Amino acid sequence: MNILRLLFELFLLYMLYKLVFDFIIPVYKASTRMREQVRNMRQKMQEQQQEPSSHVQNDQPGSNSSQSVDKEYIDFEEVK
């Protein structure tokens, strides 16, 4: 009976080991990495909002970029 109990306890320890090192630690690392990426993205967005945008010059009336986009538009017909 002691051998069965010992085997059962070893099996439980093995399962606990697999749970910790194959599930909990990778999930923790992935969540930490995602938090860091979100923090970096928010920081970059705040920096872009604070500095003057170079897109303002392209959106002025009389800009050729908006006219060229209208000329490049091709209307399509649905094929049946």
Side-chain angles (χ1 to χ4, degrees):
M1 290 303 252
N2 284 337
I3 294 174
L4 288 176
R5 183 174 177 180
L6 178 65
L7 289 175
F8 181 71
E9 289 176 359
L10 288 174
F11 177 73
L12 285 179
L13 286 173
Y14 173 73
M15 293 304 290
L16 182 65
Y17 171 82
K18 292 295 278 183
L19 175 71
V20 168
F21 287 101
D22 288 344
F23 181 72
I24 295 175
I25 291 176
V27 168
Y28 174 76
K29 286 182 179 180
S31 64
T32 304
R33 197 175 312 128
M34 287 297 292
R35 269 190 241 121
E36 183 67 28
Q37 288 177 350
V38 168
R39 188 179 312 122
N40 289 341
M41 286 176 50
R42 285 183 181 168
Q43 184 179 12
K44 286 180 183 179
M45 287 176 58
Q46 288 176 351
E47 289 173 359
Q48 287 178 352
Q49 288 176 352
Q50 290 175 354
E51 56 188 47
S53 178
S54 62
H55 299 293
V56 174
Q57 295 174 356
N58 292 337
D59 292 339
Q60 294 175 351
S63 175
N64 292 336
S65 63
S66 63
Q67 294 173 355
S68 64
V69 171
D70 292 338
K71 292 178 182 177
E72 293 177 5
Y73 180 76
I74 299 174
D75 202 17
F76 74 96
E77 295 182 16
E78 186 175 333
V79 178
K80 295 182 181 182

